[in-house]
Amino acid sequence: MTAASEQTAAEGTSRGGDPADRGRLHIGRTVVRKIAEHAADQDPGSARARRRLAGVGLGQHGATAQVSGPDDALRIRLEVALRYPAPVRGTVASMRERVDSELQRITGFRVRTVDVTVSALVPADAPPRVE
């Protein structure tokens, strides 16, 4: 190494320093909520349910989440639709684990609880009828 490259390398390390000393990172609750919803929707037992208001169809939706609590003890409340006839208890346990691990992996936050409300059971797609 030349003297100039050694000096440049020393300046680079002193300028950057420890990554924790460079600034702060704030992950918004909307991002945490979206990660939880996406993780729940990725579970094989999850389904999309039809949304209706006063008899009018509004399309389909996946899981919805609410997030509360501090970053080191998040409380997640999920409302999901599941495929029928999947075993509800096993599917919900799998979904809880998936949401917990994804939030820890992506954000580093600790999840205290994941409460799941099953709002619908959606039948598996029926094979097309031959007439």
Side-chain angles (χ1 to χ4, degrees), residues 32-43 46 61-68 75-82 91-100 103 111 113-120:
V32 175
R33 179 178 56 83
K34 297 252 183 207
I35 292 169
E37 290 172 348
H38 181 74
D41 286 340
Q42 296 303 307
D43 193 276
S46 70
H61 69 91
T64 57
Q66 294 177 346
V67 179
S68 60
R75 291 183 298 277
I76 310 294
R77 294 181 64 207
L78 290 172
E79 185 175 321
V80 299
L82 300 181
T91 302
V92 168
S94 167
M95 195 173 288
R96 279 187 182 119
E97 177 59 35
R98 182 181 298 263
V99 169
D100 180 28
L103 282 170
V111 178
T113 60
V114 179
D115 296 325
V116 180
T117 300
V118 178
S119 61

